Amino acid sequence: MSAEPVRSQTSAGPGAAQASARVEPLARSEFILGGQKSGKSRRAETLAAAWLAASPKHDAVLIATAQPFDAEMRDRIERHRRDRAARVPRLRTVEAPRALAETLAACSRPETLVVVDCLTLWLTNLCMPAAVDWEPKPADAGVKWADIAPFIEAIEAAPGPVVLVGNEIGLGVIPLGAQVRAFVDTLGALNQAVARVCARVTLMCAGLPLTLKGGAS
């Protein structure tokens, strides 16, 4: 895949930081990390919009992992759909709460940018599926590497550009409860594995990107 010039910028407004526009090549794969409302998804949308604008042959699809298990989450998902449609009308959406590796492989094409939003909810769906009859697993019976490896392989094998969004939740105090601690540990391992195979890793804070890996030379 040839690199495409991307104009990376954020728009002014509530919840969006003002940043000076700059042109950078679109990485073959980019992992965008950050906290809640840090600007992760907005950066992914900006990259998708730039990719679509670069050529009429370009396509873009967002793989959504969220599941609407309660009224608040349903409202949140619907709001995100409306906002994405307004900002990036040509960004299609495919829902894949669990089968992420298979969906990425099916969607990826040389002229198609795939956005995955987000890895944290995907891992939550694997570790703690929301179901009436679900019982918490012991701390040592959670997600294993065998559950994650196919997705890492799918990232490396993708013929087109991939943008991955995930949360960094390991900067606070050690959480109470073995189940939550096991999830934080597993998410940290997932984030490290994804970062290793991605060409660029970006940390978002207050709407501003900090390149951790793969910066312009």
Side-chain angles (χ1 to χ4, degrees):
M1 184 203 78
S2 60
E4 295 284 346
V6 173
R7 185 169 296 277
S8 177
Q9 60 183 9
T10 57
S11 58
Q18 285 241 262
S20 58
R22 69 183 185 279
V23 177
E24 60 186 14
L26 177 66
R28 182 191 180 281
S29 53
E30 179 169 344
F31 185 25
I32 305 172
L33 275 168
Q36 187 87 349
K37 289 297 180 182
S38 61
K40 305 183 304 295
S41 296
R42 185 62 64 90
R43 176 175 173 85
E45 290 176 6
T46 298
L47 294 173
W51 170 260
L52 290 168
S55 170
K57 296 181 180 179
H58 285 178
D59 189 19
V61 58
L62 180 138
I63 302 177
T65 61
Q67 298 186 84
F69 285 114
D70 57 37
E72 187 276 335
M73 196 62 177
R74 284 193 294 272
D75 291 344
R76 179 181 290 263
I77 290 172
E78 184 56 37
R79 184 172 67 252
H80 286 181
R81 285 173 177 163
R82 291 196 304 268
D83 292 346
R84 278 200 307 270
R87 290 191 291 258
V88 195
R90 290 174 55 200
L91 179 60
R92 299 181 290 111
T93 300
V94 173
E95 296 183 1
R98 293 174 67 88
L100 194 50
E102 299 88 338
T103 306
L104 174 57
C107 291
S108 184
R109 298 287 186 275
E111 299 301 320
T112 299
L113 169 67
V114 179
V115 177
V116 178
D117 195 352
C118 75
L119 300 188
T120 311
L121 285 175
W122 171 63
L123 187 65
T124 301
N125 296 335
L126 296 181
C127 288
M128 298 175 281
V132 174
D133 59 351
W134 179 74
E135 292 293 334
K137 299 177 183 178
D140 62 349
V143 172
K144 306 299 184 184
W145 177 249
D147 300 304
I148 294 174
F151 175 61
I152 301 300
E153 294 167 2
I155 298 172
E156 295 182 290
V162 181
V163 175
L164 307 147
V165 178
N167 289 80
E168 174 51 74
I169 66 173
L171 300 178
V173 298
I174 298 174
L176 295 175
Q179 191 72 15
V180 180
R181 287 195 297 271
F183 177 81
V184 174
D185 290 347
T186 305
L187 179 60
L190 171 63
N191 287 348
Q192 290 187 45
V194 173
R196 279 194 295 270
V197 299
C198 282
R200 178 181 293 141
V201 180
T202 302
L203 178 66
M204 297 298 300
C205 183
L208 300 174
L210 174 64
T211 302
L212 304 180
K213 175 184 176 183
S217 57

